[in-house]
Amino acid sequence: MRYILASNNNGKLREMKVILAETGAEVVSQREAGADFEAEETGTTFEENALIKARAACQALGEPAIADDSGLCVDALGGAPGVYSARYGGCKTDPERVALLLKNLGDEKDREAKFVSCIACVFPNGDVLTARGECPGTITTAPRGDGGFGYDPVFELPGTGKTMAQLTEEEKNAVSHRGRALKAFQEKLREYDAHK
Ligand code: IMP
């Protein structure tokens, strides 16, 4: 079966395609499938926003659609930027968002944080599958590395001394929130297929 990836974020799309390809599933981005729109993320949780995006793509194209809604939650900032990670402070670019995060955190000692990813898959018959993955880490005082996307250059993985942006794509996918959520999702998809 073919699945539509309901995202226009190139960093996410690349990771989702690589991980989902391991299952043999055929995946294509919604733009490649001819639906060039951005669903409005009006939810207040990662789960709600993932469902909004997957539903919109499924309805527009009439095929099963998978969406990721994800973000960075920083303890000392009360969980911000959270579901607003992509629009933090109204910033337009990743470097601007990273700079704002470092400014807001200042010289705060508690730099604990986590990345969260929620995957939602909506089928044309209305069936829904969801899965969640988290990755704990700490926020650095300056960006390091040029891999990945988003907040990767300031997110350090415990015990490695490396930021997400200093990992290869394969290393990141093995430990990341999205990698974990997609693994849990694959398990649910296998069960769903088995009981159809
Ligand atoms: P959304 O899920 O499209 O609302 O956006 C998620 C936002 O969270 C991205 O634009 C990034 O700023 C951030 N984010 C999500 N996953 C990652 C990641 O794997 N690395 C770095 N930043 C991420």
Side-chain angles (χ1 to χ4, degrees):
M1 193 184 304
R2 182 169 104 143
Y3 294 87
I4 306 298
L5 294 182
S7 176
N8 295 317
N9 176 320
N10 290 330
K12 268 192 204 179
L13 283 171
R14 199 176 49 247
E15 291 178 11
M16 290 170 81
K17 279 184 174 175
V18 168
I19 300 169
L20 288 168
E22 289 165 14
T23 63
E26 187 194 344
V27 289
V28 58
S29 73
Q30 66 177 48
R31 189 170 283 151
E32 288 164 328
D36 200 1
F37 66 86
E38 197 95 34
E40 208 188 332
E41 297 180 26
T42 51
T44 55
T45 64
F46 294 113
E47 283 85 355
E48 279 172 8
N49 282 334
L51 272 168
I52 288 171
K53 290 185 272 190
R55 260 202 194 103
C58 178
Q59 273 165 11
L61 293 159
E63 295 182 66
I66 301 171
D68 156 284
D69 196 68
S70 47
L72 176 69
C73 304
V74 180
D75 289 5
L77 299 178
V83 290
Y84 305 106
S85 293
R87 317 162 246 173
Y88 192 31
C91 297
K92 295 273 180 277
T93 68
D94 282 341
E96 284 170 2
R97 283 183 279 271
V98 163
L100 178 63
L101 176 75
L102 292 180
K103 179 171 159 271
N104 287 348
L105 209 46
D107 56 8
E108 169 67 50
K109 291 275 171 297
D110 174 9
R111 306 189 78 88
E112 300 283 312
K114 65 180 175 184
F115 271 128
V116 179
S117 161
C118 283
I119 302 292
C121 178
V122 175
F123 294 87
N125 68 1
D127 286 351
V128 165
L129 297 176
T130 59
R132 182 183 173 99
E134 296 191 359
C135 178
T138 53
I139 304 301
T140 59
T141 50
R144 292 198 316 265
D146 45 25
F149 67 97
Y151 300 93
D152 281 343
V154 290
F155 189 88
E156 187 172 302
L157 288 154
T160 67
K162 284 186 183 177
T163 67
M164 281 273 206
Q166 293 176 304
L167 302 182
T168 64
E169 194 162 81
E170 203 177 17
E171 286 169 338
K172 177 180 172 184
N173 290 343
V175 296
S176 77
H177 49 311
R178 190 165 300 101
R180 287 175 178 161
L182 284 168
K183 270 188 202 91
F185 167 70
Q186 282 161 10
E187 204 44 54
K188 290 195 176 180
L189 192 56
R190 261 191 287 276
E191 282 167 26
Y192 175 79
D193 282 339
H195 291 96
K196 257 197 320 199

